[in-house]
Amino acid sequence: MNLVLFGPPGAGKGTQSKLLTAQRGLPQLSTGDMLRAAIEAGTPLGVACKALMAKGELVPDETVIRIIGQRYDQPDCKDGAVFDGFPRTIAQAEALDTMLAERGRQIDLVLELKVDDAVLLSRVETRIKAGGVLRSDDTPETLAHRLEIYYRNTAPLIGYYRQQGKLKTVDGMAPVEAVTAQIAAILNAVPG
Ligand code: AMP
């Protein structure tokens, strides 16, 4: 099964992807994690993306399409994957459809985690108050910019996937376990 976890920054895509990986054995393919690893390792890809990511800008479509294609061809994706933070533009969604079709596969389901902007902001503020190690893009200012980009470039994917009959919406403001339960109920209702 190939799933897309979709939603604004801070909606809980990473958390729910990790739970899906643990429960269903589907690898989590997070372009954000891949890019952060490249930055950490100081690779040319990391060097090229570092400033854009710190500002909350999207990295170029060709870059993420290339790294997701390479990652998807690893043996652990033979039964599918959970796409987390990808696609983020219509061009990326089209490239993903093409990549999967070339391998005789398709996106089976897109789970949209719906969370109000005010809740996203209060989550960032809570993380800041809690101390811990924060990502350089995890600030109220960068969140506001990332949300602008989300509504402009990424939210149109809701219509794209709804038209394909693949979109399911989940209340991402519920407690983590309740979100997980909603997702499980949707997945358990998928035939096969
Ligand atoms: P994330 O961890 O998914 O929140 O991603 C962190 C940052 O990585 C984003 O703000 C972008 O700068 C970059 N990024 C991650 N995934 C993508 C993508 N699919 N398209 C473009 N940029 C991305």
Side-chain angles (χ1 to χ4, degrees):
M1 180 181 286
N2 289 287
L3 294 175
V4 172
L5 269 193
F6 179 86
K13 302 186 291 292
T15 302
Q16 295 299 330
S17 300
K18 286 189 176 65
L19 289 166
L20 279 171
T21 297
Q23 290 160 2
R24 298 186 183 246
L26 293 173
Q28 173 196 15
L29 268 51
S30 157
T31 39
D33 284 353
M34 293 175 206
L35 294 168
R36 278 185 290 277
I39 292 175
E40 191 69 25
T43 65
L45 169 69
V47 172
C49 297
K50 188 172 178 173
L52 284 173
M53 286 178 70
K55 281 190 286 186
E57 304 281 343
L58 295 184
V59 308
D61 286 337
E62 313 79 71
T63 304
V64 281
I65 289 167
R66 180 167 43 82
I67 62 173
I68 219 77
Q70 289 166 352
R71 178 64 186 87
Y72 192 76
D73 282 333
Q74 301 294 311
D76 62 333
C77 298
K78 65 178 186 346
D79 296 325
V82 182
F83 294 91
D84 162 13
F86 180 92
R88 263 178 156 97
T89 63
I90 295 281
Q92 291 178 23
E94 289 172 347
L96 179 60
D97 283 348
T98 304
M99 177 193 89
L100 292 172
E102 283 168 0
R103 289 156 178 76
R105 301 187 187 181
Q106 59 166 1
I107 290 297
D108 299 293
L109 213 56
V110 177
L111 297 164
E112 178 198 7
L113 299 182
K114 226 175 157 55
V115 181
D116 293 347
D117 292 2
V119 173
L120 296 171
L121 182 62
S122 79
R123 286 181 181 177
V124 174
E125 286 166 345
T126 305
R127 286 194 289 275
I128 290 173
K129 275 197 204 114
V133 181
L134 287 181
R135 277 166 43 176
S136 60
D137 58 358
D138 203 18
T139 65
E141 298 72 30
T142 312
L143 175 70
H145 186 52
R146 294 176 81 206
L147 279 172
E148 266 173 47
I149 291 177
Y150 171 78
Y151 287 115
R152 189 168 62 232
N153 298 304
T154 308
L157 292 176
I158 294 172
Y160 180 87
Y161 285 120
R162 185 175 285 137
Q163 216 167 21
Q164 293 188 4
K166 293 181 176 166
L167 188 79
K168 298 278 178 201
T169 301
V170 166
D171 174 12
M173 291 178 284
V176 173
E177 312 75 59
V179 176
T180 307
Q182 290 178 68
I183 292 175
I186 291 170
L187 294 182
N188 291 340
V190 174

